[in-house]
Amino acid sequence: QQPVQSPQAVILREGEDAVINCSSSKALYSVHWYRQKHGEAPVFLMILLKGGEQKGHDKISASFNEKKQQSSLYLTASQLSYSGTYFCGTYFSGNTGKLIFGQGTTLQVKP
Amino acid sequence: DAGVIQSPRHEVTEMGQEVTLRCKPISGHNSLFWYRQTMMRGLELLIYFNNNVPIDDSGMPEDRFSAKMPNASFSTLKIQPSEPRDSAVYFCASSPGIRAYEQYFGPGTRLTVT
């Protein structure tokens, strides 16, 4: 039931791009993305509510493919501040209010 | 806004003792969530409330765990008796609603049970 994230970890140089994927075996109502820095609380990035929806702010964007039951987070021209663990959280269709988080993807951006 | 407030930030206790974690959600938010985070199990939802009513407590691991929300501005998570395997970071989060709204996490309480 837990969404599966890939890759588990990625190391980048500043300015490089990364893609983090989140897949589910069940029909999704929405996908949420959060970033957590070491020793801190998760911080909300964005929600995707509709299949095909794409969102973004700054150089971080995401897409939601309802048919494939997956979402992807795109980080372009990465900055040192992007380092942290990225979690996708999913609400399943028919589910009431239980947000299920994936296992997380650790991103490290090096100078 | 002060954000979600949790206390204490750190708690060290001995096995068998009662532990009470506290949370003050953001004013105006009507949904409150308790999460536990460990390296082994990741970030898992324990229980959530909507308008002060517990909606889903299926994530509460055992009867040793209980949660209350007596009013819109306060919630507690109690562990009695505590065990070493309860050691984790416990987060409280609040939201203006469920499913289509972002959750705002508190700073967390790091619990160590020896």
Side-chain angles (χ1 to χ4, degrees):
Chain A
Q1 190 172 0
Q2 181 184 37
V4 177
Q5 290 184 230
S6 62
Q8 286 191 324
V10 58
I11 300 174
L12 299 173
R13 294 286 182 187
E14 267 188 298
E16 293 181 338
D17 302 340
V19 180
I20 300 172
N21 298 303
C22 176
S23 298
S24 170
S25 59
K26 297 177 64 174
L28 298 175
Y29 172 83
S30 65
V31 179
H32 301 223
W33 286 97
Y34 289 78
R35 177 172 62 203
Q36 183 179 29
K37 294 185 179 288
H38 183 70
E40 299 180 7
V43 174
F44 170 78
L45 293 177
M46 64 190 78
I47 295 176
L48 299 113
L49 293 175
K50 300 176 184 177
E53 184 173 37
Q54 297 189 28
K55 281 190 176 179
H57 65 86
D58 198 8
K59 294 176 182 176
I60 300 176
S61 62
S63 63
F64 178 21
N65 187 321
E66 191 173 17
K67 284 187 177 180
K68 293 185 177 180
Q69 296 166 180
Q70 67 183 34
S71 176
S72 296
L73 186 71
Y74 307 93
L75 301 100
T76 58
S78 59
Q79 306 167 18
L80 294 175
S81 62
Y82 287 2
S83 293
T85 301
Y86 290 79
F87 293 95
C88 70
T90 56
Y91 282 109
F92 299 112
S93 296
N95 181 285
T96 52
K98 196 169 181 177
L99 184 62
I100 309 295
F101 283 98
Q103 79 278 19
T105 296
T106 301
L107 176 71
Q108 185 180 3
V109 181
K110 294 185 174 182
Chain B
D1 200 323
V4 176
I5 299 172
Q6 290 187 246
S7 65
R9 294 292 308 275
H10 301 273
E11 177 80 34
V12 180
T13 191
E14 293 184 348
M15 183 174 63
Q17 296 298 305
E18 178 179 298
V19 175
T20 299
L21 310 182
R22 297 173 175 80
C23 175
K24 176 178 169 56
I26 293 173
S27 177
H29 285 188
N30 62 4
S31 298
L32 183 139
F33 308 81
W34 282 100
Y35 291 92
R36 179 173 66 177
Q37 187 173 38
T38 61
M39 288 295 293
M40 290 295 294
R41 301 178 67 88
L43 190 60
E44 53 182 343
L45 178 68
L46 300 177
I47 185 172
Y48 78 93
F49 296 83
N50 195 43
N51 294 322
N52 311 337
V53 177
I55 303 299
D56 188 331
D57 65 353
S58 59
M60 297 285 262
E62 300 171 31
D63 291 345
R64 299 184 296 107
F65 285 69
S66 62
K68 294 182 179 179
M69 191 165 186
N71 56 62
S73 59
F74 184 65
S75 178
T76 59
L77 178 68
K78 185 178 293 185
I79 308 172
Q80 166 63 16
S82 58
E83 296 183 2
R85 59 190 168 130
D86 301 331
S87 297
V89 179
Y90 291 82
F91 288 105
C92 172
S94 72
S95 172
I98 58 176
R99 301 193 81 182
Y101 299 89
E102 63 267 34
Q103 295 185 15
Y104 296 81
F105 282 74
T109 295
R110 181 172 295 277
L111 174 65
T112 303
V113 183
T114 60

mmCIF file of all heavy atoms in Angstrom, chain B residues 83-99:
data_model
loop_
_atom_site.group_PDB
_atom_site.id
_atom_site.type_symbol
_atom_site.label_atom_id
_atom_site.label_comp_id
_atom_site.label_asym_id
_atom_site.label_seq_id
_atom_site.Cartn_x
_atom_site.Cartn_y
_atom_site.Cartn_z
ATOM 1 N N GLU B 83 8.275 1.625 26.088
ATOM 2 C CA GLU B 83 9.246 0.559 25.838
ATOM 3 C C GLU B 83 10.356 1.103 24.950
ATOM 4 O O GLU B 83 10.123 2.079 24.211
ATOM 5 C CB GLU B 83 8.562 -0.637 25.165
ATOM 6 C CG GLU B 83 7.498 -1.306 26.022
ATOM 7 C CD GLU B 83 6.894 -2.530 25.353
ATOM 8 O OE1 GLU B 83 7.325 -2.888 24.239
ATOM 9 O OE2 GLU B 83 5.987 -3.139 25.958
ATOM 10 N N PRO B 84 11.525 0.483 24.982
ATOM 11 C CA PRO B 84 12.640 0.978 24.150
ATOM 12 C C PRO B 84 12.291 1.071 22.669
ATOM 13 O O PRO B 84 12.755 1.978 21.981
ATOM 14 C CB PRO B 84 13.744 -0.048 24.404
ATOM 15 C CG PRO B 84 13.482 -0.534 25.794
ATOM 16 C CD PRO B 84 11.988 -0.568 25.920
ATOM 17 N N ARG B 85 11.464 0.171 22.159
ATOM 18 C CA ARG B 85 11.094 0.209 20.738
ATOM 19 C C ARG B 85 10.198 1.390 20.387
ATOM 20 O O ARG B 85 9.913 1.615 19.199
ATOM 21 C CB ARG B 85 10.405 -1.088 20.330
ATOM 22 C CG ARG B 85 9.130 -1.407 21.098
ATOM 23 C CD ARG B 85 8.679 -2.824 20.779
ATOM 24 N NE ARG B 85 7.637 -3.283 21.694
ATOM 25 C CZ ARG B 85 6.504 -3.831 21.295
ATOM 26 N NH1 ARG B 85 6.252 -3.984 20.013
ATOM 27 N NH2 ARG B 85 5.609 -4.234 22.173
ATOM 28 N N ASP B 86 9.749 2.131 21.379
ATOM 29 C CA ASP B 86 8.967 3.343 21.114
ATOM 30 C C ASP B 86 9.869 4.536 20.798
ATOM 31 O O ASP B 86 9.372 5.609 20.418
ATOM 32 C CB ASP B 86 8.093 3.703 22.321
ATOM 33 C CG ASP B 86 7.124 2.591 22.687
ATOM 34 O OD1 ASP B 86 6.715 1.839 21.780
ATOM 35 O OD2 ASP B 86 6.783 2.472 23.879
ATOM 36 N N SER B 87 11.167 4.363 20.946
ATOM 37 C CA SER B 87 12.106 5.443 20.660
ATOM 38 C C SER B 87 11.981 5.851 19.192
ATOM 39 O O SER B 87 12.078 5.011 18.294
ATOM 40 C CB SER B 87 13.539 5.003 20.957
ATOM 41 O OG SER B 87 13.694 4.703 22.335
ATOM 42 N N ALA B 88 11.755 7.135 18.968
ATOM 43 C CA ALA B 88 11.492 7.641 17.612
ATOM 44 C C ALA B 88 11.338 9.152 17.712
ATOM 45 O O ALA B 88 11.372 9.734 18.796
ATOM 46 C CB ALA B 88 10.213 7.038 17.040
ATOM 47 N N VAL B 89 11.154 9.775 16.553
ATOM 48 C CA VAL B 89 10.746 11.184 16.525
ATOM 49 C C VAL B 89 9.249 11.204 16.226
ATOM 50 O O VAL B 89 8.786 10.592 15.264
ATOM 51 C CB VAL B 89 11.504 11.978 15.453
ATOM 52 C CG1 VAL B 89 11.013 13.432 15.445
ATOM 53 C CG2 VAL B 89 13.003 11.934 15.714
ATOM 54 N N TYR B 90 8.506 11.890 17.073
ATOM 55 C CA TYR B 90 7.064 11.987 16.920
ATOM 56 C C TYR B 90 6.719 13.397 16.417
ATOM 57 O O TYR B 90 7.070 14.389 17.037
ATOM 58 C CB TYR B 90 6.362 11.702 18.245
ATOM 59 C CG TYR B 90 6.485 10.257 18.648
ATOM 60 C CD1 TYR B 90 7.644 9.787 19.284
ATOM 61 C CD2 TYR B 90 5.472 9.349 18.391
ATOM 62 C CE1 TYR B 90 7.779 8.461 19.641
ATOM 63 C CE2 TYR B 90 5.591 8.012 18.754
ATOM 64 C CZ TYR B 90 6.749 7.574 19.369
ATOM 65 O OH TYR B 90 6.875 6.248 19.717
ATOM 66 N N PHE B 91 6.033 13.438 15.289
ATOM 67 C CA PHE B 91 5.631 14.714 14.704
ATOM 68 C C PHE B 91 4.122 14.891 14.831
ATOM 69 O O PHE B 91 3.350 13.954 14.659
ATOM 70 C CB PHE B 91 5.986 14.776 13.214
ATOM 71 C CG PHE B 91 7.453 14.908 12.919
ATOM 72 C CD1 PHE B 91 8.175 13.819 12.446
ATOM 73 C CD2 PHE B 91 8.113 16.126 13.087
ATOM 74 C CE1 PHE B 91 9.528 13.929 12.163
ATOM 75 C CE2 PHE B 91 9.459 16.239 12.805
ATOM 76 C CZ PHE B 91 10.167 15.140 12.350
ATOM 77 N N CYS B 92 3.750 16.112 15.080
ATOM 78 C CA CYS B 92 2.355 16.518 15.005
ATOM 79 C C CYS B 92 2.245 17.437 13.790
ATOM 80 O O CYS B 92 3.155 18.242 13.531
ATOM 81 C CB CYS B 92 1.962 17.254 16.284
ATOM 82 S SG CYS B 92 0.333 18.010 16.263
ATOM 83 N N ALA B 93 1.179 17.317 13.039
ATOM 84 C CA ALA B 93 0.950 18.178 11.886
ATOM 85 C C ALA B 93 -0.498 18.650 11.897
ATOM 86 O O ALA B 93 -1.375 17.948 12.398
ATOM 87 C CB ALA B 93 1.261 17.442 10.588
ATOM 88 N N SER B 94 -0.729 19.822 11.359
ATOM 89 C CA SER B 94 -2.113 20.291 11.242
ATOM 90 C C SER B 94 -2.367 20.769 9.820
ATOM 91 O O SER B 94 -1.432 21.047 9.052
ATOM 92 C CB SER B 94 -2.419 21.403 12.256
ATOM 93 O OG SER B 94 -1.797 22.626 11.919
ATOM 94 N N SER B 95 -3.645 20.841 9.487
ATOM 95 C CA SER B 95 -4.033 21.163 8.119
ATOM 96 C C SER B 95 -5.403 21.820 8.133
ATOM 97 O O SER B 95 -6.224 21.550 9.008
ATOM 98 C CB SER B 95 -4.076 19.859 7.310
ATOM 99 O OG SER B 95 -4.622 20.061 6.027
ATOM 100 N N PRO B 96 -5.680 22.690 7.135
ATOM 101 C CA PRO B 96 -7.018 23.294 7.040
ATOM 102 C C PRO B 96 -8.098 22.275 6.693
ATOM 103 O O PRO B 96 -9.279 22.563 6.815
ATOM 104 C CB PRO B 96 -6.869 24.316 5.905
ATOM 105 C CG PRO B 96 -5.417 24.502 5.716
ATOM 106 C CD PRO B 96 -4.765 23.211 6.101
ATOM 107 N N GLY B 97 -7.706 21.117 6.223
ATOM 108 C CA GLY B 97 -8.638 20.069 5.855
ATOM 109 C C GLY B 97 -7.855 18.812 5.571
ATOM 110 O O GLY B 97 -6.684 18.692 5.935
ATOM 111 N N ILE B 98 -8.494 17.869 4.924
ATOM 112 C CA ILE B 98 -7.804 16.623 4.600
ATOM 113 C C ILE B 98 -7.835 16.401 3.097
ATOM 114 O O ILE B 98 -8.607 17.029 2.386
ATOM 115 C CB ILE B 98 -8.428 15.419 5.325
ATOM 116 C CG1 ILE B 98 -9.899 15.268 4.971
ATOM 117 C CG2 ILE B 98 -8.241 15.535 6.824
ATOM 118 C CD1 ILE B 98 -10.545 14.038 5.575
ATOM 119 N N ARG B 99 -6.965 15.563 2.628
ATOM 120 C CA ARG B 99 -6.845 15.087 1.251
ATOM 121 C C ARG B 99 -6.305 16.133 0.281
ATOM 122 O O ARG B 99 -5.404 15.859 -0.470
ATOM 123 C CB ARG B 99 -8.178 14.539 0.729
ATOM 124 C CG ARG B 99 -8.704 13.398 1.552
ATOM 125 C CD ARG B 99 -9.818 12.694 0.856
ATOM 126 N NE ARG B 99 -9.295 11.749 -0.122
ATOM 127 C CZ ARG B 99 -10.046 11.000 -0.915
ATOM 128 N NH1 ARG B 99 -11.354 11.108 -0.884
ATOM 129 N NH2 ARG B 99 -9.501 10.163 -1.762
#
